[in-house]
Each structure stands twice: as C-alpha cells, then as structure tokens.
Amino acid sequence: MKNIIRRSPVSFDSRPAKTEMRDNWTVALEYEAEETGPYLIDLSHRARWDFQDVDISKIQTWGMNVPESPGQCLFENGIIINRMNRTQVSIWHLSGAKPDVPDNPAFTDVTDTTVFLALFSKDIFSITEKLTSLYFLDPLKETPFLLQGPFSHIPCQIVTLEKIPERSGILFTCSRGYARDIIASILEAGAEFGLRPAGENVLIKWLNELWG
Amino acid sequence: MALTITCPICDKRNGYEFRYGGVDKGPRPDEEGLTPTSWCDHVHMNKCVAGIQKEWWFHRDGCGAWFTIYRDTTTNLEVDKPEAN
C-alpha cells in the first residue's frame, strides 16, 4: 500500500533548515537565523481531536479529567484539553509521542481540517492587539485558558499558555481554508516586532522551560 | 455606544461577533386547531417593541452557542432580565 502524503496548509516564504518526516507529514524542525523571536510556528502536523458527550465530565481522556468549566484548559503529558462548552472539548497533542486514540465514537480526529499555530516569545501581545480585541491578559483568568473568538476576523480557538511578557505564548486553531490569509496577516502585523517563522524544536524547548 | 452581548460561555463580547436570531416568541403553538393564518402570524409577524425585548443570538465567531438576552431596542443596549418576566 502506498503512503499518503500529508501537507500542512501553512507555507512560509523562508525554507526550513532542518526537517523530518513524521506520520507522512514534513515537519520543520529548525529555520535559519531563528534568533530570539517572537516566533510563529506551524503545528498543523500535531494531532487534534474534538470530543463530545452529553455527560462529558465523567469521561477521562488518557487518564486526565476534563476541565470543569468552559474556558478552562488542562495540560498534562504533552496533551492539552480545552473545555469549549457543556458538551465539547478540544484536545491538542503538543509534545512527546502521539497517543493512541481511545476506541470511543465520541472522538473525532480534526487534524486534517484545521490549521494549528503557535505564537510565542516576547512582544506577542503587541502583535495580537493589532489583530483581535480578545483579552489575553485578563487577570481573572489563570493560564492556560481558552478563548473562542475572532482573530484577524477568523473564528479561532485560542489557548493562552503564558502571560508573562518575556515568555508569553498562545496556541490557536482555525479552519484549514483560512491558513494562507491568517499567516499573511499575522506576519504583516508582526513585521515591526521581528516576528519570524520557527521550527518545532524552539517550541518544545519553550514548553519544557514553561512546564518542565 | 457599540452593542456588546454577554455570551453565557465567552462572557461580554463585541456585538459584531454575533448573529441576530430574532425575537423570542415563546414555545411553538399547538398543532391542534392551528390555522395557516395563525401559523403565518407566529412565523412572520413581529411586535417590533420599542423597549425591552427577549431575543435569540448566535455566537457566530466564537463558541457557536445559541442563547437569549434582553435588549432595549431604543438604546440598543443589553439589559438585565426585567422583573415582570
């Protein structure tokens, strides 16, 4: 049987300096001159699922409890679970080996239907405030937390991982078809702050610094 | 002042994130004895209240929830639920 080729909907002008093949995805690990950021990273190859059940709080996913209220997130073992509403959560795999999907029809694999991006390092909230009115620095919210709303006029799910200016970061997803336009608008908004594409290695390092 | 709407999941947001879903007309009328005229009235006729009315809204650019709020149509501001309701 032939292998399928899976392509990210994201493309940057610069070419990655180091790549690897993973589950038929070409994953950019490093770009030249990554320097200090801020960074925009394509994570579309990372597995994502939606999970829906009428009694969602009683379900455990990979041994993790579903967060209690909408907007709350839980990060454990390289997986982040985001409570969307009363009956749904989104689950994003961030680091480590890809987990097996539980044999449960409530899970829907949405990896191929959405774009998945990370924006982090210094000055990112100066960039985001040019693109959205969503409030990522809400002192009443503890990180990580989920916001669902327009980012550059595109409906997105956005998780704020850290609010501290020097190491702030967000992860976000939107429908796959918006990839080209959202990338163009983010890079344009971030140009004055030195925003540049980066590879997955930078994100893994940053996540390790953030959560060990 | 621009309209803001309080979504039960996402809290207060810009009104442009939402789609208006019409006045809340209460439960669907009983089919027994329902005439075409009364059904047409239920579907199409609105009271066009100048004041506070209960409305359906859809958080189109956010969480996708349908919910009701009370809005004063004379000021275009969301208001608390009136005591009479």
Side-chain angles (χ1 to χ4, degrees), chain A residues 9-178:
Chain A
V10 175
S11 62
F12 296 118
D13 287 343
S14 49
R15 310 291 301 172
K18 193 174 172 186
T19 62
E20 75 171 23
M21 286 299 289
R22 195 185 306 159
D23 292 337
N24 303 316
W25 295 90
T26 304
V27 179
L29 298 177
E30 282 178 27
Y31 282 78
E32 283 175 10
E34 285 182 343
E35 298 177 19
T36 56
Y39 300 118
L40 181 62
I41 298 182
D42 174 25
L43 294 172
S44 298
H45 57 280
R46 286 283 177 186
R48 300 177 296 287
W49 299 273
D50 278 354
F51 178 75
Q52 178 168 326
D53 195 273
V54 70
D55 201 1
I56 204 165
S57 57
K58 289 186 179 170
I59 307 287
Q60 282 207 330
T61 50
W62 296 285
M64 299 160 68
N65 289 320
V66 168
E68 277 182 16
S69 51
Q72 287 183 334
C73 304
L74 186 66
F75 181 78
E76 226 171 84
N77 304 323
I79 294 170
I80 191 159
I81 300 184
N82 315 310
R83 183 75 181 256
M84 295 158 65
N85 53 42
R86 189 176 59 83
T87 56
Q88 292 176 300
V89 293
S90 58
I91 303 168
W92 303 343
H93 172 234
L94 291 181
S95 60
K98 181 183 169 184
D100 294 328
V101 187
D103 184 21
N104 186 335
F107 281 86
T108 306
D109 190 323
V110 295
T111 310
D112 290 313
T113 64
T114 54
V115 190
F116 188 22
L117 297 163
L119 182 61
F120 68 95
S121 194
K122 58 181 182 177
D123 291 332
I124 67 148
F125 295 123
S126 301
I127 300 170
T128 59
E129 74 176 8
K130 294 173 73 177
L131 297 165
T132 180
S133 60
L134 295 172
Y135 190 29
F136 299 105
L137 296 168
D138 190 343
L140 299 176
K141 289 190 166 77
E142 260 185 54
T143 56
F145 62 87
L146 172 73
L147 292 174
Q148 300 173 87
F151 190 86
S152 190
H153 303 285
I154 295 165
C156 291
Q157 288 182 12
I158 307 167
V159 170
T160 305
L161 291 178
E162 183 55 81
K163 292 188 279 191
I164 298 170
E166 296 76 32
R167 50 178 189 165
S168 52
I170 60 171
L171 302 170
F172 55 104
T173 65
C174 67
S175 289
R176 184 181 169 101
Y178 291 117

Side-chain angles (χ1 to χ4, degrees), chain A residues 159-212:
Chain A
V159 170
T160 305
L161 291 178
E162 183 55 81
K163 292 188 279 191
I164 298 170
E166 296 76 32
R167 50 178 189 165
S168 52
I170 60 171
L171 302 170
F172 55 104
T173 65
C174 67
S175 289
R176 184 181 169 101
Y178 291 117
R180 190 186 63 176
D181 294 333
I182 200 168
I183 290 291
S185 64
I186 294 170
L187 287 175
E188 188 178 320
E192 65 176 297
F193 302 98
L195 179 67
R196 66 193 71 217
E200 195 190 64
N201 287 351
V202 182
L203 178 84
I204 301 299
K205 187 179 165 199
W206 177 69
L207 285 175
N208 287 336
E209 286 171 4
L210 209 58
W211 285 314

Side-chain angles (χ1 to χ4, degrees), chain A residues 70 84-86 133-134 147-150 155-156, chain B residues 9-11 13-14 17 59-64:
Chain A
M84 295 158 65
N85 53 42
R86 189 176 59 83
S133 60
L134 295 172
L147 292 174
Q148 300 173 87
C156 291
Chain B
I9 291 173
C10 304
D11 214 359
R13 291 283 184 86
N14 187 326
E17 292 182 23
H59 199 177
R60 180 192 57 204
D61 288 352
C63 63

